[in-house]
Amino acid sequence: MCRSHRTLTSAVLWAAGNWIFDAASLWLFLAAYGHRINPVTLFVAYGIANLLGTLPVSPGGLGIIEGVLVPSLVGFGAPSAVAVLAVVSWRLFEFWAPIPIGSLSYLSLRLQRWWSTRGPTQ
């Protein structure tokens, strides 16, 4: 029981940290485009969008998160152009940027494995 409690606590802390840093990233994109939003308001919009994004309609909530987050931010006072630019920039950074990095990492591991099974050539 102690081990599972520790594992559960660790998982909850890592998940909370992931959401907090992801929302902070969105806040930075909004601020970069000139709109400072109350962090509590941002967490409400972010939380609703991400909860709806977990519906099994599209992979990673693609289209759902953006479709909920932009109107939510506009409803909370962000200019519509800023909301669209910030959300699209944030999603490019948060969702699409890790894909090439992950692909390069996978390729490096495959090449390393291929190189090690090939052995030294003399």
Side-chain angles (χ1 to χ4, degrees):
M1 174 106 167
C2 183
R3 180 174 168 86
S4 69
H5 179 69
R6 212 172 311 154
T7 303
L8 177 64
T9 302
S10 176
V12 167
L13 289 175
W14 280 108
N18 180 41
W19 272 48
I20 289 168
F21 285 119
D22 199 26
S25 172
L26 176 59
W27 187 88
L28 287 173
F29 276 104
L30 282 164
Y33 288 111
H35 182 71
R36 304 236 178 196
I37 192 167
N38 181 347
V40 174
T41 304
L42 177 80
F43 276 115
V44 169
Y46 174 84
I48 291 170
N50 276 286
L51 285 175
L52 290 175
T54 61
L55 296 173
V57 176
S58 65
L62 202 58
I64 295 171
I65 291 177
E66 296 86 354
V68 171
L69 195 53
V70 170
S72 297
L73 292 172
V74 170
F76 285 130
S80 58
V82 170
V84 169
L85 284 172
V87 169
V88 169
S89 300
W90 167 71
R91 281 297 269 182
L92 284 171
F93 177 76
E94 180 256 349
F95 188 82
W96 293 104
I99 293 173
I101 295 168
S103 299
L104 290 174
S105 299
Y106 175 77
L107 181 62
S108 73
L109 291 172
R110 295 294 294 183
L111 287 174
Q112 182 182 17
R113 183 175 178 195
W114 175 79
W115 191 258
S116 67
T117 58
R118 190 168 173 243
T121 56
Q122 291 180 338

